[in-house]
Amino acid sequence: MSAGADGGGAAAARSRKGSSAEDGFVPSALGTREQFGEESMNRLIKWMQKHKIPLDASVLDIGTGNGVFLVELAKFGFSNITGIDYSPSAIQLSGNIIEKEGLSNIKLKVEDFLNLSTKLSGFHICIDKGTFDAISLNPDNAVEKRKQYVKSLSRVLRVKGFFLITSCNWTKEELLNEFSEGFELFEELPTPKFSFGGRSGNSVAALVFQKS
């Protein structure tokens, strides 16, 4: 993975344009959901197993894409899982994949996380594997969109619920700042390290927050 993928590289790019809290930024080209594969899914599921998250806990996959993570959760025994995506074609694709897998306990909904319907609430676990990164790519009012994301998250996640986020555009410190209101860091998950030009760092940040 190139140096541009790490939080430090992204942070350096942002520092030339101003702080991330003040404006949008030109992120790493890796800031898309496609970068989050099997390793990321396994990391999240292992955390859920380690902390003995009940198999009937309500889980929301934010920006589910092709729904592969939902399939993995179902195969591990989780029975109350929902995937949302703003793209109807993504939800249709997810539905086709889930149907082929013969799974019937997965709910899919077309939802824009920044403009949620009132039906979504009370989740024990919310998971983001790149949607926050994608929102940050938006050149149109990115700061407000990030603030709205945090508001939406606070609305759908129950008190003491957990939010698991994986990001390749934001460092741990930046994520702590973005989610400082209403959320506390519960745990940092181990992610692969890399070395480039005599410097080392993490190519991905993976954090678990708890709603306070």
Side-chain angles (χ1 to χ4, degrees):
M1 190 168 281
S2 70
D6 73 293
R14 288 199 291 285
S15 67
R16 290 192 292 271
K17 293 174 65 66
S19 76
S20 60
E22 293 171 353
D23 59 15
F25 61 91
V26 179
S28 155
L30 298 179
T32 61
R33 282 176 295 189
E34 286 72 16
Q35 294 302 317
F36 302 96
E38 190 172 346
E39 182 180 38
S40 175
M41 292 193 292
N42 288 340
R43 185 188 304 124
L44 299 177
I45 290 173
K46 281 180 182 175
W47 182 88
M48 293 170 77
Q49 290 178 313
K50 171 187 168 185
H51 289 277
K52 296 182 171 56
I53 302 298
L55 293 177
D56 62 351
S58 54
V59 181
L60 177 67
D61 188 23
I62 302 167
T64 196
N66 61 11
V68 169
F69 186 61
L70 298 176
V71 171
E72 290 300 310
L73 286 171
K75 287 181 176 178
F76 272 89
F78 289 95
S79 60
N80 187 5
I81 47 186
T82 301
I84 61 170
D85 202 291
Y86 74 93
S87 166
S89 58
I91 292 298
Q92 185 175 8
L93 174 61
S94 299
N96 292 340
I97 291 173
I98 289 165
E99 188 177 349
K100 284 179 183 175
E101 293 285 345
L103 300 168
S104 58
N105 58 348
I106 296 174
K107 295 182 281 292
L108 293 170
K109 299 182 180 185
V110 177
E111 286 274 5
D112 177 358
F113 196 66
L114 301 184
N115 188 27
L116 288 173
S117 68
T118 56
K119 299 172 186 175
L120 289 174
S121 64
F123 286 92
H124 295 95
I125 306 278
C126 288
I127 295 170
D128 183 320
K129 309 176 307 302
T131 297
F132 187 71
D133 280 2
I135 287 170
S136 304
L137 294 175
N138 195 316
D140 180 26
N141 217 359
V143 173
E144 284 306 312
K145 284 181 167 61
R146 297 200 303 270
K147 288 179 180 176
Q148 183 56 50
Y149 180 103
V150 176
K151 288 179 184 175
S152 293
L153 178 65
S154 185
R155 211 184 88 197
V156 298
L157 188 64
R158 64 172 57 191
V159 174
K160 299 301 180 185
F162 294 107
F163 171 54
L164 286 63
I165 182 169
T166 304
S167 171
C168 64
N169 277 328
W170 297 85
T171 64
K172 171 187 174 182
E173 289 72 21
E174 289 168 331
L175 289 172
L176 288 174
N177 181 60
E178 291 291 321
F179 294 94
S180 61
E181 198 162 320
F183 299 90
E184 296 177 355
L185 180 65
F186 184 81
E187 188 173 346
E188 179 178 9
L189 304 183
T191 58
K193 291 188 179 295
F194 75 98
S195 296
F196 184 85
R199 296 176 61 195
S200 62
N202 293 77
S203 55
V204 172
L207 303 180
V208 179
F209 287 93
Q210 188 169 32
K211 182 178 173 181
S212 52

